[in-house]
């Protein structure tokens, strides 16, 4: 298999076959991220992609879902993405779903008819790191799009029938911004149809711009209890049917829920955690995190 640079897939794609389509990130300007630092965006040659598909066919000929790696392979234009997607079926005849990371920015270069064509070819399951739906927080993180962009672009995915997942980052708005971030993000997400929402809690790592701003006192990270309060507000105001997963190591207390059915249960769980553990205990956990992998 041809893998170069950082190979990263979401935890929920653990059972998918992993194959590299791109490496690096087309954007590389998010202030909290250094995953693809100094790694230029590159498209795998179609010949290498076919060799990898042939290898998967030898070991997992019945593979039903593959995940294309790279920070955002969906950045490729419809014309460039199409031959790779079609080639998957040449080797894996039982493959039903081709999933990958995507950014809101990546949807803009595709018309609805192109998205429908990609859906018909098997593209389904876009992991979108929205991080927030609050304009101030999106600007702080330098995401390169607005809340209105999220609505407009994801409505195109809804129209095309492409399933997508959101990532929300608790604590990203900084101290005092959690309530605003949660309320505005929930308001935006409620206008859309994410199949599930994956919640991470911001952890600052060296060599990220946000880490340096915090060191200089220009960014004040949210406290641990504020993050849990933010998550409570976010969950209380998500008035859509969706699955919520906040069970990565970045979260002090892992929770998951099917909303709205389990809303009150998970809100109560979070309250119990805040009542049981001190801010210092939670901070100690955060400072002990060396990676999110």
């Amino acid at each position: 298999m041809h893998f170069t640079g950082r190979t990263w897939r979401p935890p929920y794609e653990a059972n998918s076959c992993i194959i590299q389509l791109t490496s690096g990130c087309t954007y590389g300007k998010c202030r909290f991220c250094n995953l693809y630092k100094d790694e230029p965006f590159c498209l795998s040659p179609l010949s290498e992609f076919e060799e990898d598909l042939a290898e998967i066919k030898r070991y997992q000929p019945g593979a039903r879902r593959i995940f294309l790696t790279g920070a955002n392979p969906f950045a490729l234009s419809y014309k460039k993405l199409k031959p790779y997607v079609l080639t998957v079926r040449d080797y894996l005849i039982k493959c039903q779903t081709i999933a990958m990371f995507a950014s809101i920015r990546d949807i803009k270069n595709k018309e609805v008819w192109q998205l429908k064509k990609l859906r018909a070819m098997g593209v389904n399951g876009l992991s979108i790191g929205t991080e927030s739906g609050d304009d101030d927080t999106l600007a702080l993180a330098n995401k390169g799009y607005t809340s209105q962009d999220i609505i407009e672009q994801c409505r195109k995915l809804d129209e095309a029938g492409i399933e997508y997942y959101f990532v929300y980052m608790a604590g990203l708005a900084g101290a005092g911004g959690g309530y605003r971030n949660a309320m505005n993000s929930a308001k935006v997400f409620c206008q859309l149809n994410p199949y599930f929402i994956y919640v991470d809690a911001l952890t600052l790592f060296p060599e990220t711009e946000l880490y340096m701003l915090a060191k200089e006192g220009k960014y004040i990270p949210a406290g641990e209890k504020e993050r849990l309060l933010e998550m409570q507000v976010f969950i209380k105001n998500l008035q859509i049917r969706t699955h919520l997963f906040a069970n990565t190591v970045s979260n002090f207390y892992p929770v998951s829920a099917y909303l709205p059915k389990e809303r009150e249960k998970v809100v109560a769980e979070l309250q119990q955690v805040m009542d049981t553990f001190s801010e210092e205990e939670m901070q100690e956990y955060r400072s002990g995190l060396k990676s999110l992998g």
Side-chain angles (χ1 to χ4, degrees), residues 147-195:
S147 60
Q148 188 59 35
D149 291 327
I150 295 174
I151 294 169
E152 290 175 359
Q153 298 309 314
C154 288
R155 281 180 175 169
K156 288 163 60 178
L157 297 180
D158 287 335
E159 186 176 347
I162 292 179
E163 185 178 284
Y164 56 93
Y165 325 125
F166 283 160
V167 176
Y168 177 83
M169 187 170 286
L172 182 59
Y179 181 85
R180 183 200 70 239
N181 189 25
M183 290 292 293
N184 289 338
S185 296
K187 182 178 179 181
V188 169
F189 291 3
C190 282
Q191 298 178 61
L192 301 166
N193 296 286
Y195 186 73

Side-chain angles (χ1 to χ4, degrees), residues 53-235:
L53 285 171
E55 187 170 343
I56 292 175
K57 183 179 179 179
R58 284 198 298 272
Y59 293 100
Q60 290 185 277
R64 294 181 176 273
R65 182 180 179 95
I66 67 168
F67 184 81
L68 307 179
T69 67
N72 57 331
F74 206 63
L76 297 174
S77 67
Y78 170 76
K79 184 177 180 180
K80 287 186 177 180
L81 191 55
K82 179 179 176 180
Y84 288 85
V85 172
L86 290 175
T87 303
V88 171
R89 292 293 178 85
D90 293 340
Y91 289 85
L92 303 173
I93 60 174
K94 293 187 177 181
C95 182
Q96 298 175 341
T97 310
I98 302 168
M100 68 194 85
F101 283 124
S103 166
I104 295 300
R105 297 178 303 273
D106 304 336
I107 308 168
K108 288 184 176 183
N109 68 1
K110 299 172 183 67
E111 301 294 334
V112 172
W113 70 266
Q114 295 175 321
L115 294 170
K116 288 181 176 180
K117 289 279 190 180
L118 290 172
R119 176 66 185 89
M121 296 174 204
V123 173
N124 200 32
L126 299 181
S127 293
I128 305 175
T130 47
E131 325 303 354
S132 171
D134 171 63
D135 283 326
D136 288 342
T137 306
L138 291 170
L140 171 67
N142 198 31
K143 290 297 294 182
Y145 50 79
T146 66
S147 60
Q148 188 59 35
D149 291 327
I150 295 174
I151 294 169
E152 290 175 359
Q153 298 309 314
C154 288
R155 281 180 175 169
K156 288 163 60 178
L157 297 180
D158 287 335
E159 186 176 347
I162 292 179
E163 185 178 284
Y164 56 93
Y165 325 125
F166 283 160
V167 176
Y168 177 83
M169 187 170 286
L172 182 59
Y179 181 85
R180 183 200 70 239
N181 189 25
M183 290 292 293
N184 289 338
S185 296
K187 182 178 179 181
V188 169
F189 291 3
C190 282
Q191 298 178 61
L192 301 166
N193 296 286
Y195 186 73
F196 63 76
I197 299 172
Y198 206 69
V199 180
D200 284 328
L202 174 68
T203 303
L204 294 176
F205 291 114
E207 298 185 22
T208 61
E209 189 176 347
L210 212 54
Y211 175 89
M212 297 306 299
L213 289 173
K215 293 285 283 185
E216 296 168 5
K218 297 178 181 177
Y219 171 78
I220 302 174
E224 296 300 317
K225 291 200 175 186
E226 182 179 356
R227 296 165 192 244
L228 294 179
L229 280 168
E230 177 183 347
M231 202 182 305
Q232 276 188 324
V233 173
F234 182 58
I235 292 169

Side-chain angles (χ1 to χ4, degrees), residues 238-256:
L238 277 174
Q239 302 299 321
I240 52 175
R241 292 188 180 275
T242 191
H243 297 265
L244 181 135
F245 300 100
N247 52 6
T248 67
V249 295
S250 72
N251 295 285
F252 176 78
Y253 180 80
V255 295
S256 60

